[in-house]
Amino acid sequence: MLLPTKWSKPMARCLLLRRHLTAAVATAAATAPLPARSAHRVFDRSAHTDRIQELARLGRLREAREVFDAMPHRSIFAWNTMISAYCNSGMLEDARSLVDAISGGNVRTSTILLSGYARLGRVLDARRVFDGMLERNTIAWNAMVSCYVRNGDVTMARRLFDAMPSKDVTSWNSMLTGYCHSRQMVDAWHLFEQMPERNLVSWTVVISGYARIEQHRKAWDIFCMMHREGVSPDQSNFASVLLAVTGLRDLCVLEGLRPLALKTGFESDVVIGTSMLNAYTRDASALDTAMKFFEGMPERNEYTWSTMISALSHGGRIDAATAVYERDPVKSIPCQTALLTGLARCGRITDARILFDQIPDPIVVSWNAMITGYMQNGMVDEAKELFDRMPFRNTISWAGMIAGYAQNGRSQEALDLLQAQHRNGMLPSLSSLTSSFFACSNIGALETGKQVHSLAVKAGCQFNSYVGNALITMYGKCGNMEYVRQVFSRMRVKDTVSWNSFISALVHNNMLEDARHIFDNMLSRDVVSWTTIISAYAQADRGTEAVEFFKIMLHKHEVPNSPILTILLSICGSLGAPKLGQQIHTVAIKHGRDSELIVANALMSMYFKCGSADSHKVFDSMEERDIFTWNSFITGCAQHGLGREAIKMYKHMRSAGVLPNEVTFVGLLNACSHAGLVDEGWQFFKSMSRDYGLTPLLEHYACMVDLLGRTGNVEGAEQFIYDMPIEPDAVIWSALLGACKIHKNAEIGRRAAERLFAIEPSNSGNYVMLSNIYSSLGMWVEVAEVRRIMKQQGVTKEPGCSWMQSRNKVYSFVTGDKQHEQIEEIESTLQDLYTSLRTAGYVPDTEFVLHDIDEEQKESSLLYHSEKLAVAYGLLVTPQGMPIQIMKNLRICGDCHTFFKFVSQVTKRDIDIRDGNRFHHFRNGSCSCGDFW
């Protein structure tokens, strides 16, 4: 026997002697004649023990302890029952006290305590109990193996399994369960084939394992193999295969299973019937079939009713769920909880509370469900009020409150509650720990996170995969990559979530190449892995590489989720790549994602950014719209200079009963600014606070400055800034500077530029704008001074860059570009075009070109602006008459604007340019902006 090193050998011998004496006394008592009233005392003790068990099941541990303390004589069975009650409720310190009070009890006592520690993830405490056992039977060994299995440490479980002096089928099943739970199905199947004996549990575990990794066909095949070997299924086995059948999404297979259920007499069994009902309800499209099956069931239990209620609630049919609840003759706790949860999820929290108040003596499960409902609806204070009133709290109660605080942005309160739980003598559950790490991540509380980490170590949970993954995320968000690497390297079991968390931590800390290396070395990837790496490259403005990852993902037959599609559509919008966007739209349709609200919104936004009329088609086809939908449409109209259309859409939005928010008014004010609608802009600005109680933000003030300045009221725009109740930022002063450039107001422009130089001294655009104002007025001394300041500050002008898509490839051009492979053809085309335009009346606008070069050089410098190179290339490679679309990083200059009007007229081409500010649609010699940009 293994003894803790701190025990001396004499002490161990004393303990062993005491155990033998206790056993001898027990044997003597068992063989001695019973006293006359012994049978009555045994009955009393049995009744007391049954009462303890019943109170414990109801969560009334205080009363259970009172019954226990009142017993005049307590058998070891009574002690074990009370210890088990404490363990099942997570009150392990109380359980430990009782174990110590009877000097450890018997083998079963230690096994109960060991299992209690295992349930809460306290593996080290469980191992201490196991190592301290003077005697161990196979059950104790199995409990310790199960402890490692339960907490995801399959390596230690296998090591202990191999060391067992004897194994029964339960031992093999425990190890098999470990492999299946950790998704190591190759090892699981190898162990399954080695088993000297299999029982129905063995088959059930391996079928469930394959169903868990969504190899539903394999799970079904194993069930068929089991059936061929003459093994008859039981309730649990039927339930596991029904899970696999559900995953196959083949109701025909489910219907084909029913004859076997009838033949074996299980379909009339309420448990199997409920499992079959559950299989039907997993398919949202089969709710009517599920309801028909439910109505035909010969017997229903509380779980049958609660399954149907939950399914209808999940399917959005809360009224039907309520109707089923009303028909339930018992209205059991599971049914009440199911309906209560459904009502809360649907936002009917008042109805949920009414139902809760109707429960005469709610057990802890009902309290927890109501608290969770409040938290899901953001009603944190109401949840706290209910939590404070609870007559008894279990670990789920604490975990629900801590998670609710963290998820509702009240992270410090989550951490305070964790501390209160610890002060009450309760070690936190896995859920409480992971929620606490999430809370630390939210507020960047690194030191607190380290303390919670220490608490996890104390609880013996540090090697649990859920805790490890949460730690990686927490340390990553707090910027401590050293700890991230330590946690990851020490994890005994690394699942896909662990690798994904590690990649996310690297990405969060701008270590993209390291993240790529980890991603490339992953043994298996899921859709989250792909989402993480694609998102990382998108955020790093490496959209082309993100798209390449997406192509690889599709090639590997991985089905994209909604977040991936929205990320890629955003990339398409930023690149101005409508053809690529259409291809992703097709992928979304293929996988049935195009109708999802988040994807439809992304599609509409992408088409607007690409200047495509398909944005209107997507909007018109949407069955559901939210505030983001309306805001995206209004903003899209603003980008295209469709001020009246934006206002019209705003009116439709109000008619639909949707209240505008701050983003709505940014879009409206931008639309008014781009269309020169001054009066309408003022009305919307005033309406924000007057009609909707919204306080104007810096973005709204910037729009108003832009609106006033663009229409010529530069002095009024400046005064508006001085009258603002908040400090103006760079965007506001930049809007004023832009207005001064349009209207050639050097004095106000200088004042605005000086403010900008102080706020963002490295932004070259501000210097260039002021220089252009001076050059347009012939103030060459001032131009030279601006250039001197730029040189002194080390500021370099951002080069103009334009790009266009042709034949599914993006081509980019930089002002004065000489590197393009077809540059000679481009320049030749541009020269020919220039000659044609001069004949048609085009006169280059050299107003902003430096004065110290001759006129010919000025015109030449204008000719090779990036957008002109792009349009020349477009004329070269596209069929005659085909529209050309160009994207540009900076605002288009006056000369290029005039140039493109003539190009559209001479070439009879539609030309769309999206500059750094808005869209310009050139048609037959005119622009959609009305020369107002």
Side-chain angles (χ1 to χ4, degrees):
M1 298 299 173
L2 298 174
L3 292 173
T5 54
K6 63 181 180 179
W7 287 3
S8 64
K9 290 183 179 179
M11 183 183 294
R13 284 196 294 271
C14 289
L15 284 172
L16 187 59
L17 178 61
R18 186 168 63 184
R19 293 281 174 89
H20 286 312
L21 289 172
T22 302
V25 171
T27 302
T31 56
L34 288 173
R37 295 170 59 188
S38 177
H40 180 67
R41 284 201 302 272
V42 170
F43 174 78
D44 283 347
R45 285 199 292 270
S46 176
H48 281 95
T49 305
D50 290 344
R51 181 60 178 160
I52 291 170
Q53 289 176 326
E54 177 66 16
L55 290 170
R57 188 182 68 83
L58 295 173
R60 292 156 62 179
L61 268 294
R62 187 178 301 169
E63 295 174 59
R65 180 58 187 264
E66 289 173 358
V67 172
F68 176 79
D69 289 339
M71 292 178 69
H73 304 284
R74 305 185 193 102
S75 65
I76 189 63
F77 181 70
W79 284 89
N80 286 345
T81 300
M82 193 66 234
I83 292 166
S84 180
Y86 278 135
C87 288
N88 291 337
S89 297
M91 302 172 67
L92 292 175
E93 306 313 317
D94 296 279
R96 178 84 237 190
S97 297
L98 286 184
V99 172
D100 292 340
I102 55 170
S103 301
N106 58 13
V107 173
R108 174 155 176 75
T109 310
S110 298
T111 306
I112 291 170
L113 184 60
L114 188 159
S115 300
Y117 282 130
R119 272 192 295 274
L120 285 186
R122 295 171 62 174
V123 181
L124 295 180
D125 287 325
R127 185 59 192 250
R128 289 189 191 99
V129 172
F130 179 77
D131 289 341
M133 294 175 69
L134 298 175
E135 297 178 44
R136 302 189 193 101
N137 55 19
T138 305
I139 296 173
W141 281 90
N142 290 344
M144 194 62 230
V145 171
S146 295
C147 172
Y148 284 123
V149 165
R150 178 190 292 269
N151 290 278
D153 193 344
V154 183
T155 303
M156 283 299 298
R158 183 59 193 253
R159 195 173 297 167
L160 201 67
F161 174 80
D162 291 339
M164 289 181 69
S166 65
K167 304 180 184 76
D168 57 15
V169 70
T170 301
S171 315
W172 288 88
N173 287 341
S174 295
M175 196 63 242
L176 186 65
T177 300
Y179 282 133
C180 290
H181 282 185
S182 62
R183 300 172 178 261
Q184 299 180 42
M185 292 309 299
V186 173
D187 295 314
W189 183 250
H190 183 65
L191 189 75
F192 181 76
E193 291 183 313
Q194 288 181 326
M195 291 180 71
E197 175 192 0
R198 298 178 191 138
N199 61 10
L200 197 52
V201 173
S202 316
W203 290 97
T204 303
V205 168
V206 79
I207 289 170
S208 299
Y210 279 108
R212 182 176 289 106
I213 64 170
E214 298 185 3
Q215 290 191 25
H216 303 297
R217 179 62 61 184
K218 176 74 172 176
W220 172 251
D221 291 343
I222 293 172
F223 177 77
C224 294
M225 183 194 309
M226 181 192 90
H227 184 58
R228 286 194 300 270
E229 291 191 10
V231 181
S232 297
D234 66 358
Q235 294 175 345
S236 176
N237 186 265
F238 249 114
S240 66
V241 76
L242 284 169
L243 182 61
V245 171
T246 303
L248 289 173
R249 297 184 179 277
D250 190 344
L251 290 180
C252 294
V253 176
L254 178 58
E255 292 290 339
L257 189 63
R258 291 184 66 180
L260 179 60
L262 287 168
K263 180 180 177 181
T264 54
F266 274 123
E267 184 168 279
S268 59
D269 181 277
V270 67
V271 175
I272 295 303
T274 301
S275 295
M276 296 193 78
L277 175 66
N278 186 52
Y280 279 117
T281 59
R282 294 296 178 91
D283 187 343
S285 64
L287 274 181
D288 291 332
T289 306
M291 193 68 190
K292 182 179 178 181
F293 182 86
F294 172 79
E295 297 292 357
M297 292 179 69
E299 182 185 357
R300 305 183 188 110
N301 62 15
E302 60 186 23
Y303 299 107
T304 313
W305 290 95
S306 62
T307 297
M308 197 68 242
I309 292 167
S310 294
L312 291 168
S313 300
H314 276 284
R317 294 160 65 169
I318 191 64
D319 292 331
T322 304
V324 171
Y325 173 78
E326 293 297 336
R327 289 172 48 200
D328 179 11
V330 178
K331 295 181 175 55
S332 62
I333 296 296
C335 292
Q336 291 170 331
T337 304
L339 183 59
L340 191 156
T341 302
L343 289 167
R345 185 182 293 109
C346 293
R348 291 169 57 176
I349 195 68
T350 303
D351 293 334
R353 182 56 189 263
I354 291 171
L355 176 61
F356 176 79
D357 290 338
Q358 289 174 352
I359 301 174
D361 189 15
I363 63 172
V364 68
V365 175
S366 304
W367 287 89
N368 291 344
M370 192 66 235
I371 287 171
T372 301
Y374 275 134
M375 286 299 191
Q376 287 173 342
N377 286 272
M379 302 172 69
V380 181
D381 293 330
E382 289 80 357
K384 182 180 185 304
E385 181 268 332
L386 207 63
F387 179 78
D388 291 340
R389 285 177 44 208
M390 288 183 74
F392 169 77
R393 304 177 188 129
N394 61 13
T395 54
I396 298 174
S397 315
W398 291 91
M401 280 298 296
I402 292 170
Y405 275 133
Q407 291 163 6
N408 282 281
R410 293 167 66 166
S411 297
Q412 188 57 54
E413 289 170 89
L415 298 172
D416 292 342
L417 193 62
L418 177 74
Q419 189 178 30
Q421 180 185 12
H422 193 217
R423 282 199 304 268
N424 284 356
M426 295 179 67
L427 282 172
S429 65
L430 292 175
S431 176
S432 296
L433 287 169
T434 54
S435 296
S436 299
F437 292 132
F438 176 67
C440 293
S441 301
N442 290 342
I443 58 177
L446 177 60
E447 293 306 316
T448 304
K450 290 179 180 178
Q451 293 171 12
V452 180
H453 188 174
S454 298
L455 188 59
V457 173
K458 181 179 179 182
C461 303
Q462 73 272 31
F463 297 119
N464 179 273
S465 59
Y466 294 105
V467 171
N469 296 338
L471 278 167
I472 289 171
T473 300
M474 186 269 291
Y475 283 127
K477 289 190 175 180
C478 291
N480 193 322
M481 286 306 300
E482 180 185 353
Y483 276 38
V484 167
R485 295 183 187 278
Q486 285 181 13
V487 172
F488 184 76
S489 64
R490 292 174 182 174
M491 289 181 72
R492 294 173 178 172
V493 178
K494 299 182 180 76
D495 55 18
T496 307
V497 178
S498 311
W499 290 90
N500 292 343
S501 300
F502 190 27
I503 292 172
S504 295
L506 292 166
V507 169
H508 184 78
N509 287 276
N510 301 314
M511 303 171 71
L512 185 56
E513 299 309 319
D514 290 339
R516 171 67 187 268
H517 177 72
I518 296 296
F519 178 83
D520 288 341
N521 285 280
M522 288 180 71
L523 296 177
S524 64
R525 307 182 185 107
D526 60 11
V527 70
V528 177
S529 315
W530 291 99
T531 305
T532 303
I533 199 70
I534 289 172
S535 174
Y537 275 88
Q539 291 170 8
D541 290 329
R542 294 167 66 172
T544 304
E545 291 166 273
V547 172
E548 289 304 314
F549 274 112
F550 180 64
K551 291 177 181 177
I552 297 170
M553 174 185 172
L554 294 180
H555 181 71
K556 292 183 178 293
H557 306 291
E558 187 75 53
V559 178
N561 58 13
S562 299
I564 285 181
L565 292 171
T566 55
I567 291 166
L568 289 160
L569 290 169
S570 177
I571 290 171
C572 294
S574 299
L575 293 175
K579 292 181 181 178
L580 179 60
Q582 288 168 351
Q583 292 172 0
I584 294 171
H585 190 171
T586 302
V587 172
I589 293 171
K590 177 182 177 181
H591 294 289
R593 301 276 188 188
D594 60 308
S595 59
E596 293 182 16
L597 184 59
I598 185 175
V599 176
N601 284 338
L603 280 166
M604 185 180 64
S605 180
M606 180 272 294
Y607 281 127
F608 262 123
K609 290 178 179 179
C610 292
S612 172
D614 286 341
S615 54
H616 290 68
K617 294 178 183 177
V618 172
F619 179 84
D620 292 338
S621 67
M622 292 175 70
E623 296 179 0
E624 180 187 0
R625 297 176 183 133
D626 61 5
I627 184 65
F628 185 85
T629 312
W630 295 97
N631 288 346
S632 295
F633 199 98
I634 291 170
T635 301
C637 289
Q639 289 173 334
H640 289 270
L642 304 173
R644 297 291 180 189
E645 183 74 14
I647 294 172
K648 180 181 177 182
M649 188 54 61
Y650 169 70
K651 292 177 180 177
H652 283 321
M653 172 182 159
R654 288 198 307 174
S655 299
V658 180
L659 290 175
N661 61 13
E662 291 86 351
V663 179
T664 313
F665 284 101
V666 170
L668 284 168
L669 293 172
N670 260 321
C672 292
S673 177
H674 289 161
L677 304 174
V678 180
D679 292 339
E680 291 84 348
W682 271 116
Q683 289 173 13
F684 286 126
F685 184 77
K686 293 174 181 176
S687 174
M688 283 185 66
S689 52
R690 182 188 65 225
D691 300 330
Y692 300 103
L694 300 172
T695 302
L697 305 174
L698 284 167
E699 294 88 343
H700 303 102
Y701 285 104
C703 290
M704 286 305 299
V705 171
D706 193 55
L707 174 60
L708 294 171
R710 283 174 180 276
T711 53
N713 188 5
V714 180
E715 292 80 5
E718 183 181 34
Q719 189 57 48
F720 180 83
I721 294 175
Y722 292 140
D723 293 340
M724 282 171 51
I726 53 179
E727 187 71 22
D729 65 355
V731 177
I732 290 174
W733 289 112
S734 182
L736 181 62
L737 183 59
C740 292
K741 174 179 175 292
I742 294 171
H743 300 287
K744 300 181 180 179
N745 190 318
E747 184 59 30
I748 295 178
R750 179 185 58 78
R751 291 198 289 269
E754 287 173 351
R755 298 277 189 155
L756 286 166
F757 296 162
I759 297 172
E760 43 183 25
S762 299
N763 187 339
S764 63
N766 301 325
Y767 298 91
V768 173
M769 192 94 69
L770 180 60
S771 177
N772 286 342
I773 295 173
Y774 287 148
S775 62
S776 68
L777 296 169
M779 301 170 65
W780 302 113
V781 174
E782 286 78 2
V783 170
E785 177 61 18
V786 173
R787 292 172 66 186
R788 187 193 66 78
I789 295 173
M790 287 183 68
K791 185 175 182 180
Q792 180 181 333
Q793 296 287 342
V795 178
T796 56
K797 181 181 177 181
E798 181 182 359
C801 178
S802 298
W803 61 96
M804 63 173 294
Q805 186 180 10
S806 176
R807 293 189 291 271
N808 294 324
K809 186 175 180 181
V810 176
Y811 297 88
S812 60
F813 305 87
V814 180
T815 297
D817 197 346
K818 296 291 184 182
Q819 302 301 316
H820 197 280
E821 58 186 12
Q822 292 179 262
I823 190 61
E824 291 183 2
E825 297 172 74
I826 292 170
E827 289 183 347
S828 177
T829 301
L830 201 51
Q831 287 290 350
D832 293 343
L833 183 62
Y834 180 66
T835 302
S836 300
L837 299 187
R838 291 296 295 260
T839 303
Y842 163 67
V843 178
D845 182 1
T846 60
E847 186 177 69
F848 300 118
V849 183
L850 294 176
H851 75 293
D852 52 359
I853 58 176
D854 61 34
E855 195 65 24
E856 185 177 345
Q857 288 178 301
K858 290 181 180 180
E859 292 183 17
S860 179
S861 69
L862 290 172
L863 183 59
Y864 298 108
H865 279 192
S866 63
E867 57 266 53
K868 290 175 181 171
L869 294 171
V871 78
Y873 181 75
L875 292 170
L876 265 176
V877 300
T878 59
Q880 189 171 0
M882 176 179 280
I884 296 174
Q885 187 175 73
I886 297 169
M887 307 291 158
K888 180 175 170 61
N889 63 332
L890 304 176
R891 186 178 296 190
I892 190 171
C893 72
D895 175 70
C896 287
H897 194 267
T898 303
F899 180 88
F900 278 101
K901 287 198 294 183
F902 276 95
V903 172
S904 68
Q905 181 180 7
V906 170
T907 64
K908 305 301 180 186
R909 298 265 196 144
D910 292 348
I911 301 174
D912 297 323
I913 295 184
R914 188 187 78 188
D915 69 8
N917 192 46
R918 58 168 294 163
F919 267 92
H920 299 267
H921 301 286
F922 297 96
R923 304 288 186 270
N924 197 30
S926 63
C927 179
S928 60
C929 73
D931 298 337
F932 187 85
W933 82 100

